[in-house]
Structure formats: structure tokens, C-alpha cells
Amino acid sequence: YLAAGCPAPSVLVVNPVSANDDSSNWVTAGQYGMTQSRDWALDSIRLAREYNIPYIIWFPLLPRETSPGGAASDALRKQLNAEMRVIAAANGITFLDLSALSDGAALEFFYSKYDYGDGLHQNELANTEVLVPKLAAILRTLL
């Protein structure tokens, strides 16, 4: 839409790394997935600069309980989120903290009340109680 001439937003809210992407299956994607995920995140920075979008908010990669790699795969997910936080801080990007959705264990799971039922997505209660209030608070400070 931006390339077609639509006005740019004031804030670009991006989930640069998603559990819906094949690269987030760290068992099969490994370091390729990590590199691809970082590249997508950097693409959002380039897009914001190209269209003069002053603020960017990134979502973390949430737990993927269905990953066949177990704790090893989850450790890579956590490593990627840590790297994304550093990149975000260095570029003035807000990194949304959604840790309230999950238990923080070595193999992290959504709290059952926030699990959509597939171990991969948050449900509407998670959006209502955690995601929307956190995002709204950040947006109020920016606009």
C-alpha cells in the first residue's frame, strides 16, 4: 500500500518473527531461520526509514509448544528475542514485552488461559488482558 501511494502511518507495529513462518521451526530451519528472522526485522527498519515512519514497535516470537525440538528449539527462540531486543534498542524501536502470556520455563508454554488451544497462538483473552493494554500504553506515549 505504501508503494502505491497510501499515506504512511505514524507507527509501524510489526511482528517480524512469527510462529506462522516456516523459519520459526528452529529444528528444521536452525541458523537459517535465525538469519531469515533477523533479515525480516531489518526489513521493517528499512521500510520505516524509506517511508518516514517515526516509530516502530516489534512483537517477540512467542512460545511454540508444538516445536519438535523441545527445550533446544525454545532456547533458540529466546536467543533470537534477546538479539531482537538489542537491535530494537539500538534503533529506537519499542520491543513489546509479552512475557505475561507464558510461564518462562526452559521449555516455555503459554499459560493455559491464554493458549488458543494449539500451543502456537495466543487466544482472545490474551489479547484483551495482555497484548492490547500493553500496546495501547505504548501508543499513548508515542502519539
Side-chain angles (χ1 to χ4, degrees):
Y1 292 107
L2 294 171
C6 289
S10 298
V11 181
L12 181 62
V13 180
V14 178
N15 187 359
V17 185
S18 168
N20 294 318
D21 298 323
D22 288 337
S23 65
S24 69
N25 183 351
W26 307 119
V27 173
T28 58
Q31 287 303 315
Y32 166 77
M34 298 281 282
T35 299
Q36 184 63 54
S37 297
R38 281 186 219 99
D39 288 348
W40 285 329
L42 296 175
D43 283 345
S44 71
I45 296 172
R46 285 189 286 276
L47 179 78
R49 288 181 181 153
E50 180 179 349
Y51 290 98
N52 298 313
I53 301 169
Y55 303 109
I56 303 173
I57 300 171
W58 280 349
F59 282 54
L61 180 57
L62 296 173
R64 183 182 175 127
E65 298 169 25
T66 57
S67 177
S73 292
D74 201 46
L76 286 174
R77 178 189 67 83
K78 290 174 183 174
Q79 175 189 337
L80 178 65
N81 281 337
E83 291 176 18
M84 299 294 283
R85 280 185 186 88
V86 170
I87 295 168
N91 287 279
I93 296 168
T94 302
F95 193 86
L96 193 61
D97 178 7
L98 297 178
S99 59
L101 296 177
S102 52
D103 62 14
L107 177 53
E108 193 167 1
F109 292 105
F110 284 111
Y111 287 119
S112 58
K113 73 177 188 172
Y114 294 140
D115 187 356
Y116 179 74
D118 62 0
L120 186 60
H121 298 93
Q122 76 273 10
N123 62 20
E124 288 302 315
L125 183 62
N127 292 337
T128 302
E129 288 187 359
V130 178
L131 191 146
V132 170
K134 286 183 174 278
L135 185 57
I138 292 167
L139 290 172
R140 278 193 289 278
T141 67
L142 298 176
L143 302 175

